[in-house]
Amino acid sequence: GENVEQHPSTLSVQEGDSAVIKCTYSDSASNYFPWYKQELGKRPQLIIDIRSNVGEKKDQRIAVTLNKTAKHFSLHITETQPEDSAVYFCAASFTGNQFYFGTGTSLTVIP
Amino acid sequence: GAVVSQHPSWVICKSGTSVKIECRSLDFQATTMFWYRQFPKQSLMLMATSNEGSKATYEQGVEKDKFLINHASLTLSTLTVTSAHPEDSSFYICSGGGGIKETQYFGPGTRLLVL
């Protein structure tokens, strides 16, 4: 089955700096890669996603890049704000069936 | 976005009892629903994928007879933890969607504590 690895497990940045979280996946058939933000005790919320026919996608301060050859994808958050502090999960899926999650990154934005 | 509800949000039970958790898609039809388990400060572990009207597909290592999943309609899936034991204590989250539309929407989760 699919195996998703995520790094780093914890990340602290100063407010205004950028944060980068990286994930790798093992199954070359995976073609959909969403990113979720989970605040303590709450449900995961989709923040951005990318499909395998696209190399990069951006939504305001958030961007995701995908390298199919290397089987890795990354989340980039620019101009970080304290409210960006949360746990972020990457996931890989084949056509929306069976989502496999990374181990999570706890992001702390220091004011 | 689409809304998924879960009930109950919090349950405490004695060891040996069975607990049923409901997952409902409120404003869309979820042909596929997913059940996850999450331990504190850990990732979401996919337990099973349920498709309306058919048997659930369980991930390796998840006991089918322990975690009974029923997806009787396009808006309701249930997870029953049978003969619960303290090691079953966890946060259980369902999601609806996926499939051809890919995006999945999570329920708020159910915290289960087995004494």
Side-chain angles (χ1 to χ4, degrees), chain A residues 38 43 51 95-96 99-100 102, chain B residues 38 43 59 99 102 104 106-107:
Chain A
Q38 187 179 28
R43 74 188 82 188
R51 292 170 175 79
T95 62
F99 290 79
Y100 295 96
Chain B
Q38 187 176 33
S43 188
E59 293 298 300
E102 296 175 321
Q104 57 174 332
F106 286 90

Side-chain angles (χ1 to χ4, degrees), chain A residues 30-98:
Chain A
S30 292
N31 57 7
Y32 175 62
F33 308 93
W35 285 88
Y36 294 89
K37 175 183 179 182
Q38 187 179 28
E39 297 177 5
L40 189 64
K42 296 187 177 180
R43 74 188 82 188
Q45 298 276 7
L46 177 70
I47 55 172
I48 195 167
D49 57 12
I50 191 167
R51 292 170 175 79
S52 59
N53 59 346
V54 176
E56 183 175 356
K57 183 176 179 181
K58 190 173 182 180
D59 183 5
Q60 298 183 338
R61 298 187 295 110
I62 297 173
V64 57
T65 59
L66 170 65
N67 183 325
K68 283 177 55 180
T69 303
K71 288 190 282 191
H72 67 70
F73 55 113
S74 300
L75 177 71
H76 304 253
I77 305 175
T78 59
E79 301 173 28
T80 54
Q81 301 167 3
E83 51 265 38
D84 294 330
S85 297
V87 179
Y88 291 81
F89 293 100
C90 63
S93 171
F94 172 62
T95 62
N97 296 308
Q98 297 174 307

Side-chain angles (χ1 to χ4, degrees), chain B residues 8-13 18-21 90 92 110-114:
Chain B
S9 57
W10 176 238
V11 58
I12 302 173
C13 69
S18 294
V19 176
K20 180 186 281 189
I21 302 170
S90 191
Y92 292 87
T110 296
R111 293 196 179 280
L112 171 62
L113 177 60
V114 185

